[in-house]
Amino acid sequence: MKRFLVLAYRAIMAFDWPLFVLLCMMAAVGLTVMHSAVGNTDWRFAEQARHFWIALFVLWGVALVPPVWVMRVTPYLYGVSILLLLGVEFFGESSKGATRWLNLGVARIQPSEMLKITVPLMLAWYFHLRQGSRLRLVDLLVGGVLLLIPFLLIVRQPDLGTALLVFAAGFAAMYFAGLSFKLLVPLLLLIVLGVGGLLYYEDLVCAPEFDWVVLRDYQKHRVCTLLDPTLDPLGRGFHTIQSMIAVGSGGLYGKGYMLGTQTHLDFIPERTTDFIFAVFAEEFGLYGGLALLGLYGLIILRGLYIAMIAPTQFTRLVAGSMSLMLFVYVFVNIGMVTGVLPVVGVPLPFMSYGGTSLLTLAVACGLLMGVKKARVLRS
């Protein structure tokens, strides 16, 4: 009996209850909107509910693993994920023009999803080993190589959305490890100049005969569609135009739950996945959208708080990078739905349909809770 009580206590302590309550609220909102978005495909709602239950048990299981154990296996996890990416490069299966899947016989997996977790873990592991000594340029170069290898392999698939998320999570780990903001100024200046030049020479760079060299044609079209979606309103610009109409038509208070015309007349493309925020904004309006952003903000702030009180360098970097990854998820998805960013296929956390992305988020939140548990047990 005493052993059972000890195990039960450890299981309960694995949860960071403020974060868990926020995640439950997010899951409730996600399933509510999914019920409206699925329309006549009720099986998607049932599957998404099942995905949430699976994600809950995955989150709990990861939270029970001590961070010191996670740190020990991190290099092996990173190595396996890189090998699987290389497997996609040589033996991957293609679908809709992209080679992102690997058939292992017993399962068909998308290895790039693993890198959202293993890349920041690997960088946290490396910079944890370097703690106690001043961060040198060579340390940043090694970290950059660890980040760029998976980033470039994922870009080649091509999967720019996942590559951006992997890069953001890894870059966050490097930044929290001590990357000087002064080193970022040239990069930020280059980005500003690039965006300014793109806007100024839009007619030239978006001409059909102009070759962007570093980007594929479909990526070029996404950027040019962002600049002016009316150039091809029934083709490449259709997604952006319809999602912006849905968001704008919601007004301040929204049209009401399950009363969104753009949604239920099938004007919003991919309304259960990448563009589910358009469904939410049309039905709940500006105030609902602000409330949703507030809920996301509380989850991210809770994650950053856990990072701030983390007991070790490794746990601090893991918690910080997981929190910033969630921020990038939200920023990129809502940016592309509202026409601020190009469409890159990034799901909205806990809202978009899909089991793989939910499992990734469950692992990330489980790692956050594991960090908090380690802090509680140490104090």
Side-chain angles (χ1 to χ4, degrees), residues 7-170:
L7 292 174
Y9 173 77
R10 288 180 178 177
I12 293 172
M13 288 296 293
F15 280 106
D16 176 62
W17 288 101
L19 179 59
F20 182 68
V21 170
L22 291 171
L23 292 176
C24 287
M25 294 171 62
M26 196 72 250
V29 173
L31 286 174
T32 300
V33 178
M34 185 60 64
H35 183 260
S36 177
V38 293
N40 295 323
T41 54
D42 290 339
W43 60 270
R44 284 207 167 197
F45 175 78
E47 280 200 357
Q48 187 70 349
R50 183 164 63 250
H51 292 157
F52 269 108
W53 279 111
I54 294 172
L56 173 63
F57 286 107
V58 169
L59 183 152
W60 198 348
V62 173
L64 289 171
V65 179
V68 66
W69 293 8
V70 176
M71 187 170 67
R72 288 173 185 168
V73 301
T74 286
Y76 305 104
L77 293 175
Y78 178 82
V80 169
S81 60
I82 293 296
L83 287 176
L84 290 174
L85 271 187
L86 291 173
V88 172
E89 181 73 17
F90 296 105
F91 311 106
E93 296 183 353
S94 299
S95 177
K96 297 182 180 180
T99 306
R100 304 173 184 173
W101 294 269
L102 187 64
N103 194 335
L104 300 179
V106 295
R108 185 171 179 259
I109 64 172
Q110 188 174 347
S112 57
E113 285 292 324
M114 295 176 58
L115 275 300
K116 296 177 184 177
I117 303 297
T118 58
V119 166
L121 283 178
M122 185 63 191
L123 288 168
W125 176 86
Y126 174 73
F127 288 114
H128 177 83
L129 296 182
R130 302 301 305 162
Q131 70 173 336
S133 60
R134 186 175 180 180
L135 203 62
R136 300 174 299 171
L137 180 60
V138 66
D139 298 325
L140 296 176
L141 290 176
V142 172
V145 170
L146 292 173
L147 175 57
L148 285 177
I149 290 174
F151 174 77
L152 294 175
L153 286 173
I154 296 172
V155 168
R156 278 183 55 83
Q157 292 182 356
D159 189 355
L160 186 58
T162 300
L164 288 174
L165 291 173
V166 170
F167 184 85

Side-chain angles (χ1 to χ4, degrees), residues 267-329:
F267 282 106
I268 301 177
E270 307 296 336
R271 64 178 185 266
T272 60
T273 53
D274 296 345
F275 287 84
I276 196 167
F277 181 75
V279 177
F280 181 90
E282 184 182 25
E283 296 187 354
F284 296 96
L286 175 63
Y287 293 145
L290 292 176
L292 181 66
L293 289 177
L295 185 55
Y296 277 125
L298 289 174
I299 294 173
I300 294 167
L301 287 175
R302 184 63 185 177
L304 292 175
Y305 169 76
I306 292 174
M308 186 176 65
I309 64 172
T312 65
Q313 172 83 330
F314 175 77
T315 53
R316 182 173 67 88
L317 297 181
V318 169
S321 58
M322 294 299 118
S323 303
L324 265 294
M325 181 183 71
L326 179 59
F327 167 79
V328 174
Y329 258 106

